[in-house]
């Protein structure tokens, strides 16, 4: 797990875009889940907040038929 230290003006979606190269809802939610209380700090995070950047959950690709096909 990587660590990011916030700078003035950082937001959770900016951090995910900067680190993961995307800022979709699923990515932001995973970062927020890895950092309890981070969302309570508001949309713009204060400087010098330690943010844990987890390995993202990736859906497993299934070859062949599944229950839903």
């Amino acid at each position: 797990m990587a660590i990011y230290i916030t700078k003035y003006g950082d937001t959770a979606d900016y951090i995910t875009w900067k680190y993961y190269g995307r800022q979709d809802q699923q990515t932001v939610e995973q970062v927020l889940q890895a950092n309890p209380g981070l969302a309570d700090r508001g949309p713009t995070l204060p400087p010098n907040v330690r943010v844990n950047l987890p390995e993202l959950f990736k859906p497993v690709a299934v070859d062949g038929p599944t229950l839903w096909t």
Side-chain angles (χ1 to χ4, degrees):
M1 183 178 308
I3 304 295
Y4 179 84
I5 306 298
T6 60
K7 297 171 185 67
Y8 180 79
D10 280 347
T11 62
D13 58 340
Y14 173 75
I15 294 168
T16 61
W17 176 79
K18 187 173 180 179
Y19 185 75
Y20 299 108
R22 61 186 203 232
Q23 60 187 31
D24 56 273
Q25 182 178 356
Q26 181 183 17
T27 305
V28 173
E29 286 294 325
Q30 289 183 55
V31 170
L32 292 176
Q33 287 176 358
N35 295 277
L38 187 65
D40 297 334
R41 293 180 175 261
T44 303
L45 301 169
N48 299 315
V49 174
R50 181 185 169 116
V51 179
N52 296 315
L53 299 170
E55 286 192 38
L56 298 179
F57 168 76
K58 296 178 185 172
V60 177
V62 177
D63 293 332
T66 66
L67 294 174
W68 300 275
T69 58

